[in-house]
Amino acid sequence: MDFPARAHCLTRWFGIRDFVVLSPAPNAEAIIGESRMKILLSSFIIALHNTQCRLPAFVQVVQHWRRLYAGVCDSGAGMRTHFEMVHLKNTPRQLNHLAGLIEVFKTKLMVPISPAPPILVSVRFTYVLRDWAMHEWPIEDEKGSATPPPEGAWPCVGTVCDPIFELHLAATWPNLAEEMIVDNETYSDLDPTQAPSWSVRVKIDEEPQLLLGDLLKELLVVAAGKSDAMFVPPEGRDEGEGRDIQSALQRLTEPVPSISTLTSSVVSRARRKLTRESNNNVIPELLLNAMLEDLLPDVDPPPAPEPPDESGRLHDQLKSCSVSSLTHRAALLLCEAYQQHGGVRGMLHLWQEIILELRYRWDNNILLPWTEHGHPDLGASLLHQKLQLLNCCIERKRARENEALVQGPVEEEEASASEDEFFECEETVSDEDGSPLTRKGSVRRNDVFRDSKPQHPDGRLKRLGDMRLLDTGAPLYVPITQEPAPMTEDMLAEHEQSLVELGHGEEAAKLRAQMQSASLLSDMEAFKAANPGCKLDDFVRWHSPRDWNEGDTHSDDEDDDGGNAGDEQTDQPKPRGRLSKRMRLPGNIWAECWQSTKSVAARKQRRLFDDTKETEKTLQWLSSLRPSQLVLNLLPCLVHAAMQAFQVSEKCHPSLSLLYEQTFQRTVRATRMQELRHYEELVQKLCQLEMMVSRFQSLKAKFSSEVARDDEKEELARFVDCIMEKPEVKVIGAAKGPVGRVVHRMFAAARTRGRFTPAGNGGESALGEEAPTPATPTSSDFPPPEGREFILRTECPRPAPYSQVSPHRMYCVLTREEFRLSAAFSEDTAFH
């Protein structure tokens, strides 16, 4: 190939693929001087010959930046090729056209035969387009507005400027006889619109300014703890108040202060507080109120539309939250505050206002908008779990207060009785024969706890089918129980750690079982209140049916129910069965809990879940987050929004699809591991994806035509796909193809805007000449070529007429910055 898209410079200049280069080390002295170069090259050739290596040998000479080489190739078959180069800063006038280069080539050959052999010429002109005024950036839709992002996606994604800032069009005339081309000092018939071959390459900004990637990199710096110094915890924001609290006991012994002293202290403290608050108001009040109203509206917000991927991979595999949730909206709003309103200070200002709004909603029993009801979702991010827990606390509080309003005030005697019943402690002692005794009387080893006074059923929910109590035969009722306490993942980890810290051993195991049986005790108390006269067997039949063997006999434990022989019986048949083996083991925690519990309805029990306490803990956790911790908890939502924005472009191109899949896997790992190093790797991938998507959008917008036919649109789409993957793409049909017409229109539009001097008429047209786009392609639509490349080749005997016929080649490139001529001349060493 005469003009490869990507190749080593020696391959482009001399047309060889395999060679050996000897060049000085970067810090070594350059090889300057012809005698030194010849000695080094001769030694190099001898060394290669001794190793039976017949590859061309090159030695780099003079300064490294000039890229000058001298080389020799001895094929071993009586043929030797010399590689020579000329490098000048300016192009000599007589060599500024093809005619002068052909004359130099013939002079250097000194062909010993007549007539001279024909010379084949390959020419390539490169035209550069830098004006994209006809293509606006960012890409706009048909209505003239920027394309809106998907629901819950990052609002601004892409590069700030067009990532494609140059288009290079190469017009090529391959392997033409010298008499077919006229290119001299006065005239040239090398019209790019008549070139048989076109190829296009684009020059891309490798380090563009990214809207998403640069912001995420800044947030990673914050997450690394670079901005934690400006954060003051809530408990340390007023040092005067802290000192007052610490010295509270000392003040009890001090004399009573005067009114003037108290007044001055209060005034100074209030002045400090107002000054501090005014200094912390980074976001203007009107804008802050608008942001809070949008995030936490006073009225019930309309239901958010479900995004298209709510049930897809992003929602199912990322440890984040729904893109329509309050957490996701808050993350994007905090990121906006960071980006547009003072950086970390603006983000912290908005965050503290959000916490105040959350506390207001707790105090006034207002549920959080766009937050799921029920227990926290452990598959979501920790921040989302905390907001779910807060919403759950508000729900419990509202339900408790509504229930109190419905039931009315509790009678004083009943309340006193219930309190006495709950706080009464059962003291178990032993009589002389070792039987357990209580204040209520004595019971045998396996007897259930019974109250001395008659019990009335309380807290019944519904009947449990046709099941009846084993002893009394009364219907078995499902009790109203307390719901289990909702917990977030950090609460579960803390609870697990407390259990591990108990150590090993029988005592630790017993204590561990007691800590885990709070919900079981509550259920037993509620079951006893709903089913007077029940026993453990009845509770197991409802609570754990697998531990009740239906139809099994009690032959080996007939004395277990001996104490119930005198109980009231009914005409209903008594169910046959017994407890499982694990329930009958000595020291079973269920049996111990059953004996220690009383008959207490769920509404009279101590709450398993103290919503007030958990709310205070949650709000304290939220308000004590440092900037690094806050950003780290926001990152799952932010990367989710980024992937949501890129999801539309996933199926546009195979390379985009592959990169999107790699980024998705890193996103899943980062959100689940929740470590900063994983997010750093993810952000690098997101930057690559953002640049690729921007390039694709830019190329797709440029290589499009509204008047093209369907087959031409497919050809344009294939061209965009190819140029995304290859450094240079051949244009099918050259100037007459659909891609060629689009490229020609780009150059014509740049000419009408006066951005270059047309190349027609020898390049003498006036700068900025206004002319309409012609209906047929003309060379005046193109600027002067940025680079001109010529390859001249022939075959002839050298140095004598009777020598072997050998190939000869000369390459020349002419640009504004340099003139380079590289020639490879062969000679016969056997018959010279």
Side-chain angles (χ1 to χ4, degrees):
M1 187 175 181
D2 289 340
F3 305 102
R6 285 182 180 175
H8 192 274
C9 59
L10 294 179
T11 300
R12 181 181 298 274
W13 296 336
F14 297 107
I16 55 178
R17 295 184 178 180
D18 302 321
F19 48 87
V20 183
V21 179
L22 182 64
S23 58
N27 298 327
E29 182 182 356
I31 301 173
I32 300 176
E34 184 177 2
S35 58
R36 185 181 179 188
M37 180 267 295
K38 289 183 177 181
I39 294 174
L40 185 59
L41 183 60
S42 300
S43 304
F44 191 24
I45 294 173
I46 293 173
L48 293 178
H49 180 74
N50 293 336
T51 58
Q52 303 297 319
C53 179
R54 300 298 181 182
L55 293 178
F58 290 88
V59 174
Q60 186 173 9
V61 296
V62 299
Q63 293 83 1
H64 182 76
W65 61 270
R66 296 188 64 181
R67 296 191 300 173
L68 271 176
Y69 298 87
V72 175
C73 178
D74 193 348
S75 63
M79 191 70 64
R80 178 178 295 171
T81 303
H82 296 271
F83 300 97
E84 304 173 359
M85 294 186 67
V86 175
H87 179 235
L88 302 175
K89 184 177 181 180
N90 299 316
T91 303
R93 182 179 181 86
Q94 65 274 17
L95 300 180
N96 198 26
H97 43 76
L98 178 61
L101 295 175
I102 293 177
E103 186 66 26
V104 170
F105 185 58
K106 291 180 178 180
T107 303
K108 185 67 177 179
L109 276 176
M110 294 185 296
V111 180
I113 60 176
S114 182
I119 298 177
L120 296 180
V121 179
S122 295
V123 183
R124 177 170 178 168
F125 284 4
T126 301
Y127 302 89
V128 179
L129 178 64
R130 300 183 178 90
D131 177 36
W132 303 112
M134 61 181 297
H135 301 283
E136 299 295 337
W137 187 263
I139 306 300
E140 297 181 350
D141 57 10
E142 293 80 1
K143 298 181 180 180
S145 60
T147 305
E151 175 68 22
W154 200 280
C156 299
V157 175
T159 57
V160 176
C161 301
D162 195 338
I164 310 296
F165 62 88
E166 281 188 7
L167 182 143
H168 293 195
L169 169 64
T172 305
W173 295 263
N175 296 326
L176 299 179
E178 59 176 312
E179 59 270 12
M180 294 180 62
I181 303 177
V182 178
D183 182 46
N184 52 42
E185 190 174 358
T186 59
Y187 176 79
S188 174
D189 58 5
L190 295 176
D191 185 355
T193 60
Q194 303 299 324
S197 176
W198 273 17
S199 59
V200 172
R201 70 164 62 212
V202 292
K203 192 171 182 181
I204 300 171
D205 188 1
E206 297 296 340
E207 296 182 357
Q209 186 177 355
L210 303 175
L211 295 173
L212 170 63
D214 292 349
L215 179 58
L216 288 178
K217 289 179 180 179
E218 293 180 12
L219 291 176
L220 288 180
V221 174
V222 178
K226 303 295 184 180
S227 303
D228 284 353
M230 69 175 62
F231 175 75
V232 181
E235 60 272 12
R237 291 181 181 175
D238 197 332
E239 298 179 358
E241 294 180 2
R243 288 193 296 267
D244 292 343
I245 296 173
Q246 294 174 3
S247 60
L249 296 178
Q250 298 179 4
R251 292 192 176 187
L252 292 177
T253 61
E254 293 178 356
V256 179
S258 62
I259 297 297
S260 60
T261 305
L262 289 175
T263 304
S264 61
S265 177
V266 171
V267 170
S268 62
R269 187 180 305 144
R271 184 180 293 111
R272 290 198 307 268
K273 185 175 182 180
L274 290 174
T275 304
R276 183 176 60 251
E277 291 180 352
S278 62
N279 294 335
N280 291 335
N281 290 339
V282 182
I283 305 176
E285 184 177 358
L286 292 178
L287 179 60
L288 179 63
N289 293 335
M291 298 171 73
L292 292 176
E293 177 64 24
D294 182 63
L295 181 64
L296 296 166
D298 294 334
V299 297
D300 293 336
E306 292 292 333
D309 190 63
E310 196 64 11
S311 60
R313 294 195 307 165
L314 288 178
H315 183 264
D316 295 339
Q317 298 189 31
L318 296 188
K319 190 175 174 60
S320 176
C321 59
S322 171
V323 295
S324 58
S325 64
L326 174 63
T327 311
H328 194 92
R329 296 168 184 265
L332 293 181
L333 196 61
L334 287 166
C335 191
E336 178 185 350
Y338 173 85
Q339 189 176 19
Q340 302 180 8
H341 304 290
V344 177
R345 296 180 62 85
M347 181 176 63
L348 293 180
H349 182 199
L350 178 60
W351 179 242
Q352 294 301 326
E353 294 295 332
I354 292 175
I355 294 175
L356 292 177
E357 182 66 22
L358 295 178
R359 180 172 290 280
Y360 172 81
R361 288 178 173 264
W362 158 255
D363 294 336
N364 294 274
N365 295 342
I366 304 175
L367 293 175
L368 304 183
W370 302 301
T371 304
E372 301 90 338
H373 301 286
H375 288 217
D377 181 11
L378 298 181
S381 63
L382 180 59
L383 183 60
H384 187 65
Q385 294 179 40
K386 292 294 183 181
L387 294 183
Q388 282 184 304
L389 179 62
L390 180 59
N391 204 43
C392 185
C393 293
I394 298 175
E395 289 179 342
R396 298 285 181 91
K397 181 183 176 184
R398 292 177 63 177
R400 187 177 68 255
E401 294 181 357
N402 292 337
E403 183 180 358
L405 292 175
V406 171
Q407 294 180 355
V410 183
E411 295 294 337
E412 181 179 355
E413 181 179 355
E414 181 182 353
S416 177
S418 63
E419 288 295 326
D420 293 341
E421 183 179 349
F422 179 80
F423 289 104
E424 182 183 17
C425 298
E426 178 184 345
E427 297 182 1
T428 303
V429 296
S430 300
D431 57 4
E432 295 179 358
D433 58 355
S435 300
L437 296 175
T438 66
R439 288 184 178 181
K440 301 293 183 179
S442 62
V443 294
R444 288 190 300 275
R445 174 174 54 89
N446 290 328
D447 278 350
V448 298
F449 180 86
R450 297 183 182 277
D451 289 330
S452 58
K453 61 182 180 180
Q455 297 183 13
H456 300 285
D458 189 9
R460 288 178 172 179
L461 179 63
K462 62 179 180 179
R463 284 194 59 177
L464 184 60
D466 297 333
M467 297 184 65
R468 293 181 176 272
L469 300 181
L470 295 177
D471 288 349
T472 65
L476 193 151
Y477 286 88
V478 176
I480 299 175
T481 59
Q482 297 192 56
E483 295 184 12
M487 302 182 72
T488 59
E489 61 182 25
D490 61 332
M491 297 169 63
L492 289 173
E494 182 180 355
H495 181 67
E496 181 181 357
Q497 182 64 25
S498 63
L499 296 179
V500 172
E501 291 176 354
L502 294 176
H504 304 280
E506 183 178 354
E507 188 66 24
K510 185 176 181 180
L511 184 58
R512 192 178 294 110
Q514 290 178 357
M515 292 176 62
Q516 295 176 308
S517 60
S519 179
L520 179 64
L521 290 171
S522 175
D523 293 345
M524 286 183 174
E525 290 179 345
F527 187 83
K528 285 185 176 183
N531 299 279
C534 63
K535 63 178 183 178
L536 178 61
D537 297 22
D538 299 314
F539 177 78
V540 171
R541 291 165 61 203
W542 163 66
H543 199 278
S544 181
R546 292 182 300 177
D547 287 311
W548 176 258
N549 300 324
E550 190 70 33
D552 203 349
T553 61
H554 291 251
S555 58
D556 55 342
D557 292 332
E558 291 181 356
D559 62 335
D560 288 353
D561 299 328
N564 298 328
D567 290 347
E568 181 182 356
Q569 300 293 329
T570 64
D571 296 337
Q572 296 292 335
K574 182 178 181 180
R576 296 180 59 82
R578 65 172 179 173
L579 298 175
S580 63
K581 289 184 178 180
R582 78 181 187 96
M583 287 293 180
R584 291 182 280 119
L585 291 175
N588 182 267
I589 188 65
W590 284 52
E592 295 180 358
C593 291
W594 182 262
Q595 292 181 6
S596 63
T597 55
K598 294 184 178 183
S599 174
V600 183
R603 62 186 177 87
K604 300 178 182 180
Q605 297 175 5
R606 179 185 299 174
R607 286 179 289 170
L608 292 177
F609 176 68
D610 190 345
D611 47 63
T612 305
K613 177 181 177 182
E614 292 302 329
T615 298
E616 293 299 330
K617 290 174 61 177
T618 302
L619 293 175
Q620 175 64 21
W621 183 87
L622 294 174
S623 61
S624 61
L625 288 176
R626 294 183 173 274
S628 58
Q629 298 170 335
L630 176 60
V631 171
L632 191 61
N633 281 279
L634 295 178
L635 281 176
C637 296
L638 298 181
V639 297
H640 188 175
M643 296 301 294
Q644 187 79 10
F646 291 132
Q647 189 180 19
V648 180
S649 306
E650 172 196 0
K651 301 178 181 179
C652 294
H653 189 268
S655 61
L656 290 180
S657 179
L658 178 60
L659 185 56
Y660 179 89
E661 184 63 28
Q662 296 174 354
T663 309
F664 175 77
Q665 298 299 332
R666 290 182 181 269
T667 307
V668 173
R669 182 174 62 177
T671 54
R672 295 188 179 277
M673 300 299 294
Q674 201 61 15
E675 295 180 2
L676 187 58
R677 60 185 182 91
H678 293 301
Y679 280 110
E680 292 174 349
E681 298 174 358
L682 171 61
V683 169
Q684 295 297 328
K685 278 292 181 182
L686 283 173
C687 291
Q688 297 179 19
L689 183 58
E690 188 176 14
M691 288 189 292
M692 289 288 290
V693 170
S694 299
R695 294 172 189 173
F696 179 79
Q697 292 176 347
S698 178
L699 291 172
K700 186 178 179 181
K702 291 175 175 59
F703 291 94
S704 61
S705 177
E706 299 179 357
V707 297
R709 301 189 304 270
D710 292 341
D711 57 338
E712 293 178 346
K713 291 181 179 179
E714 293 179 0
E715 178 63 30
L716 291 171
R718 284 195 296 269
F719 177 81
V720 172
D721 293 342
C722 292
I723 206 170
M724 283 285 294
E725 298 179 351
K726 301 178 181 179
E728 185 172 312
V729 180
K730 186 176 181 181
V731 177
I732 299 177
K736 298 179 176 60
V739 178
R741 290 196 294 270
V742 172
V743 173
H744 179 260
R745 238 184 346 258
M746 295 180 187
F747 280 95
R751 178 188 62 82
T752 57
R753 298 178 65 88
R755 297 305 178 93
F756 56 76
T757 302
N761 300 325
E764 298 178 359
S765 299
L767 179 65
E769 178 184 1
E770 294 290 340
T773 303
T776 58
T778 60
S779 61
S780 61
D781 291 336
F782 292 88
E786 293 284 336
R788 292 176 293 164
E789 299 173 86
F790 301 92
I791 297 179
L792 288 69
R793 56 168 63 89
T794 188
E795 293 183 355
C796 65
R798 287 182 77 239
Y802 50 83
S803 301
Q804 298 183 56
V805 177
S806 56
H808 312 279
R809 184 180 190 271
M810 187 178 76
Y811 170 88
C812 185
V813 57
L814 293 80
T815 66
R816 296 178 180 178
E817 293 80 16
E818 67 173 359
F819 169 83
R820 186 181 298 273
L821 191 148
S822 307
F825 296 104
S826 302
E827 61 182 7
D828 187 357
T829 58
F831 300 95
H832 59 82

